[in-house]
Amino acid sequence: MVDHRASLAVFKLASCDGCQLTLLNCEDELLAVAGKVRIAYFPEATRGVLRGPYDVALVEGSVTTPADAERIGEIRAQSRTLVSIGACATSGGIQALRNVGDVEEFRSIVYAHPGYIATLAHSTPVAQHVAVDFELRGCPVDKGQLLELLTSLLAGRHPRISTASVCVECKLRGTVCLPVSRGVACLGPVTQSGCSGLCPAYGRGCYGCFGPVPGANLASLAHQLAVLGLRPEDITRLLRTVNTAAPEFAAESARQEMMSR
Amino acid sequence: MPNQSTGTEAVLDLPGLQALVDALAATHTVIGPQVSDGAIVLGPLARVDQLPVGMGDDQDAGSYRLRERTDRAVFGYAASAVPAKRWVFPPREPMSRTHDDGTTVSVEPVLARPQRPVALFGVRSCDLAALAVHDRALLARPVPDPWYAQRRAGLFIVVAACTTPARSCFCVSMGTGPAPGAGFDLSLTELVEGEHRFLVTSGSPAGEQLLARLPTRAADTVDRSAADAALRQAAESMTRAMPTDGLAALLLGQPEHPAWAEVAQRCLACGNCTLACPTCFCTSIVETAELGSPVSERARVWDSCFTADFSHMHGGSVRTGISARYRQWMTHKLGAWVEQFGVSGCVGCGRCITWCPVGIDITEQARALARPAGQEPRERKP
Ligand code: SF4
Ligand code: SF4
Ligand code: SF4
Ligand code: SF4
């Protein structure tokens, strides 16, 4: 019997596996997913490997090695729809800290035999190498958004993923705003929603996991963070976590770093 | 400003206030002010000692701090962090469910009936005014909003007159406070000098009936003049004001005024102002379907004109820049709203000023628009 289900492949570049785990964590929903799609390539979940081409490819991780740079081209060629998932794949991830550091130095400190390590000077998002059909943000991606993505791809519609700020989620949830009521530094106003306002609901300022909102006004937020008492080096650190290389965050952290010198 | 209502007046003491809460709780879910996460919010209330006893608030542009008062006042603060709209216009309201069994598609409307009607207890005059604005926008139209109508119908309102406004408040200039206007069932004015007591006034037959069952004493001229003095003093202490004269024309007639570009440099387009505002009612319709399930649900979820998605049409977002979004919010709120609903969309509660993470002040923006274009670029303020 011919299997008419769409084929799904999950690929991994430089990453921690957290985003793939989110898919595996959709325990209740995974059966439904499996019923609708043929899992053709998902080494983390199953040993069986079906050859491409694939209807949908989810790519986790950033490009950090010459081999990955080549591989992502092959993945693209095999995939009808390619979605990059997670902060690594969409902005370069935490490993993009190398972009503002010295890779040679890291390599010599971290590895016993640095000579065996072939690595690129920059960690780059998938979209910098190949055309990407959709980018799903987050570190890790949100389960609900991932299911919405898969559901909509299977239904042939555009995924409904909000680009509103985390603040919108705080207000939906009824969280009292931290910077206003306690002077806590928070990246929420310039960060895309997706986490349901998780950190502020537990008294922590937003770390920016879902990356900058479209047209994020970092200059104004940085000014306000300074009013709250953060020094330029503090603001630089705040912006250099999992979305270090997201263009808006990178530009502002570079500006702050200049100021701190 | 004297209390405008003409209902029955009486005096309640603190145990009497508890009797009021108990009487309401017999039939309603009582929602009232309380301290949570460093702010005064609204939430389920059973006892008067859950109220923010002896607490005040310091609110100003982009800043909110709780403060201990020198007395035991239970209503000694201004607008709550969470506005009352949450209970009549919740963040997510299911609207319909669609069932598709492969051959037929059926749509079933959803009108979630709250288990019990809500009693809003100790909300402020601006909250009352905001409800009246929502009534105009959502009920006084050819097809009233059924979800709002249902939640609004059973509402019982106990308003607490504001005797300690915050620096963010400007209800006097909007004509909405500090004394409550019409529309409440019971109104309380707290008096802390001498005997701690509440001058209570009925504003509806339901309020009148409830008041008759409470352990009150008759109000005398001392009570009345103390309440009048407290409200007069509150009105006089208000420092902010909206320059309302000709404001709608200033807003709608100057789409290219440099003040829009100036505020866009500071505005984060985060949407906090619209979501904290007690009258903003914008939502987006969200359809959710579980994979493999024949049922999908349609709900409306709070949205804001500050998001890029909000004006997304074929081809992209209409309001791409922050200045266009800020202009939308302010011109709608204070300009187009008047044409649409015959009333301003602003009740002067100051929430958008307090809860803006960068402290943008809508009254200051109104003044900036009144300055001729090209005059003294304003200094950037945090
Ligand atoms: S806590 Fe942070 S994310 Fe939440 S509303 Fe405030 S600024 Fe926005
Ligand atoms: S515009 Fe601001 S001050 Fe006016 S009602 Fe809304 S939140 Fe309150
Ligand atoms: S100001 Fe914006 S969010 Fe508020 S009602 Fe108007 S369009 Fe909607
Ligand atoms: S005015 Fe303030 S609260 Fe409103 S969107 Fe701009 S920054 Fe956010």
Side-chain angles (χ1 to χ4, degrees):
Chain A
M1 197 180 105
V2 186
D3 192 340
H4 289 292
R5 292 175 303 168
S7 59
L8 174 76
V10 184
F11 296 96
K12 171 188 157 64
L13 306 174
S15 60
C16 78
D17 281 36
C19 291
Q20 298 186 57
L21 267 179
T22 302
L23 184 56
L24 283 176
N25 279 344
C26 301
E27 283 157 24
D28 295 339
E29 299 85 355
L30 206 57
L31 281 177
V33 173
K36 294 278 170 190
V37 300
R38 188 157 42 95
I39 298 190
Y41 182 90
F42 189 4
E44 182 144 325
T46 160
R47 249 184 272 167
V49 170
L50 300 175
R51 294 181 43 184
Y54 309 108
D55 290 312
V56 178
L58 304 180
V59 182
E60 175 197 88
S62 68
V63 175
T64 58
T65 64
D68 280 349
E70 203 172 305
R71 187 150 164 257
I72 189 62
E74 289 159 12
I75 294 170
R76 173 70 271 187
Q78 295 278 311
S79 313
R80 189 161 292 137
T81 299
L82 188 154
V83 180
S84 52
I85 61 167
C88 299
T90 58
S91 83
I94 188 93
Q95 58 272 30
L97 279 170
R98 70 168 65 186
N99 302 11
V100 289
D102 180 352
V103 174
E104 283 313 314
E105 195 188 330
F106 298 154
R107 181 152 58 178
S108 63
I109 295 172
V110 173
Y111 297 99
H113 301 285
Y116 291 135
I117 305 298
T119 192
L120 299 169
H122 289 147
S123 170
T124 44
V126 173
Q128 211 155 304
H129 299 265
V130 297
V132 166
D133 298 295
F134 196 84
E135 293 191 308
L136 192 67
R137 306 272 195 91
C139 181
V141 291
D142 171 73
K143 179 175 145 175
Q145 288 199 339
L146 185 59
L147 286 168
E148 162 62 16
L149 176 90
L150 291 173
T151 310
S152 58
L153 287 178
L154 293 172
R157 62 175 169 84
H158 194 74
R160 193 180 174 109
I161 307 286
S162 172
T163 61
S165 71
V166 177
C167 300
V168 171
E169 300 191 302
C170 277
K171 287 287 178 286
L172 285 169
R173 210 172 161 139
T175 305
V176 173
C177 178
L178 299 169
V180 171
S181 68
R182 292 187 236 170
V184 170
C186 183
L187 290 179
V190 295
T191 299
Q192 191 167 302
S193 57
C195 61
S196 309
L198 186 62
C199 289
Y202 291 91
R204 304 299 295 261
C206 169
Y207 296 97
C209 302
F210 283 68
V213 291
N217 187 350
L218 262 301
S220 177
L221 186 77
H223 180 270
Q224 186 63 18
L225 291 171
V227 170
L228 292 181
L230 272 71
R231 298 163 302 168
E233 49 268 47
D234 304 326
I235 299 172
T236 307
R237 280 203 69 150
L238 191 60
L239 292 171
R240 287 187 178 161
T241 59
V242 299
N243 283 300
T244 296
E248 292 90 337
F249 287 5
E252 188 58 33
S253 64
R255 211 174 69 92
Q256 295 292 327
E257 193 173 43
M258 294 266 286
M259 283 164 64
S260 62
R261 280 198 186 127
Chain B
M1 202 193 295
N3 206 318
Q4 294 160 14
S5 55
T6 52
T8 306
E9 281 184 333
V11 173
L12 278 175
D13 57 9
L14 217 46
L17 197 66
Q18 180 65 56
L20 169 55
V21 173
D22 291 341
L24 288 170
T27 45
H28 291 69
T29 299
V30 184
I31 300 295
Q34 52 208 264
V35 172
S36 172
D37 288 331
I40 290 160
V41 302
L42 296 177
L45 187 92
R47 299 182 323 274
V48 294
D49 61 10
Q50 282 173 273
L51 291 167
V53 181
M55 297 304 290
D57 52 6
D58 288 326
Q59 299 194 39
D60 208 342
S63 169
Y64 182 107
R65 291 295 182 278
L66 286 175
R67 159 175 63 82
E68 283 189 25
R69 293 173 58 97
T70 52
D71 56 32
R72 303 271 299 157
V74 298
F75 296 126
Y77 40 83
S80 56
V82 173
K85 86 173 165 187
R86 212 177 175 84
W87 283 272
V88 281
F89 196 81
R92 185 176 193 283
E93 181 90 84
M95 304 172 86
S96 64
R97 251 187 301 275
T98 303
H99 192 274
D100 178 359
D101 66 10
T103 48
T104 46
V105 176
S106 58
V107 182
E108 168 205 345
V110 175
L111 196 54
R113 182 177 291 280
Q115 280 186 320
R116 314 176 86 202
V118 166
L120 293 173
F121 178 87
V123 293
R124 311 334 294 251
S125 310
C126 55
D127 296 317
L128 189 67
L131 271 168
V133 171
H134 264 179
D135 289 351
R136 289 221 188 198
L138 300 168
L139 295 182
R141 58 188 205 192
V143 182
D145 182 285
W147 298 275
Y148 178 80
Q150 168 157 286
R151 292 181 189 276
R152 182 70 173 91
L155 205 62
F156 192 97
I157 304 168
V158 181
V159 66
C162 265
T163 49
T164 319
R167 287 177 67 175
S168 46
C169 296
F170 58 97
C171 63
V172 170
S173 60
M174 300 310 294
T176 53
F184 57 83
D185 293 294
L186 289 175
S187 145
L188 302 168
T189 307
E190 182 171 34
L191 301 169
V192 283
E193 304 268 306
E195 174 204 3
H196 190 188
R197 63 201 193 279
F198 305 86
L199 181 68
V200 47
T201 310
S202 64
S204 72
E208 186 87 34
Q209 278 170 21
L210 185 60
L211 184 55
R213 289 165 43 209
L214 297 176
T216 56
R217 71 160 167 80
D220 57 26
T221 49
V222 178
D223 302 318
R224 290 199 187 96
S225 59
D228 283 350
L231 288 170
R232 201 175 328 111
Q233 204 267 327
E236 281 163 7
S237 71
M238 202 164 287
T239 48
R240 261 194 175 82
M242 177 68 84
T244 50
D245 272 353
L247 184 56
L250 278 181
L251 285 159
L252 297 169
Q254 306 187 90
E256 304 298 341
H257 193 287
W260 301 122
E262 185 276 332
V263 72
Q265 294 195 346
R266 289 178 294 143
C267 175
L268 307 169
C270 62
N272 272 309
C273 46
T274 57
L275 296 159
C277 178
T279 68
C280 276
F281 51 66
C282 280
T283 55
S284 56
I285 308 293
V286 178
E287 205 91 38
T288 42
E290 273 176 36
L291 254 185
S293 160
V295 181
S296 69
E297 188 190 69
R298 173 175 295 189
R300 67 176 180 204
V301 179
W302 284 357
D303 202 347
S304 162
C305 53
F306 277 98
T307 71
D309 298 337
F310 186 82
S311 65
H312 190 103
M313 295 184 199
H314 177 76
S317 182
V318 175
R319 291 187 279 269
T320 48
I322 293 180
S323 83
R325 292 187 216 154
Y326 190 90
R327 186 174 58 207
Q328 162 65 23
W329 134 262
M330 198 172 162
T331 52
H332 187 212
K333 193 100 283 195
L334 294 156
W337 206 294
V338 184
E339 287 170 19
Q340 255 181 307
F341 307 116
V343 63
S344 172
C346 176
V347 297
C349 71
R351 286 187 179 91
C352 58
I353 301 174
T354 297
W355 298 104
C356 171
V358 291
I360 292 170
D361 175 353
I362 194 169
T363 66
E364 181 52 40
Q365 287 312 119
R367 274 186 291 277
L369 282 166
R371 284 194 279 272
Q375 196 174 305
E376 34 130 4
R378 215 158 54 77
E379 217 176 277
R380 186 195 157 102
K381 271 196 285 183

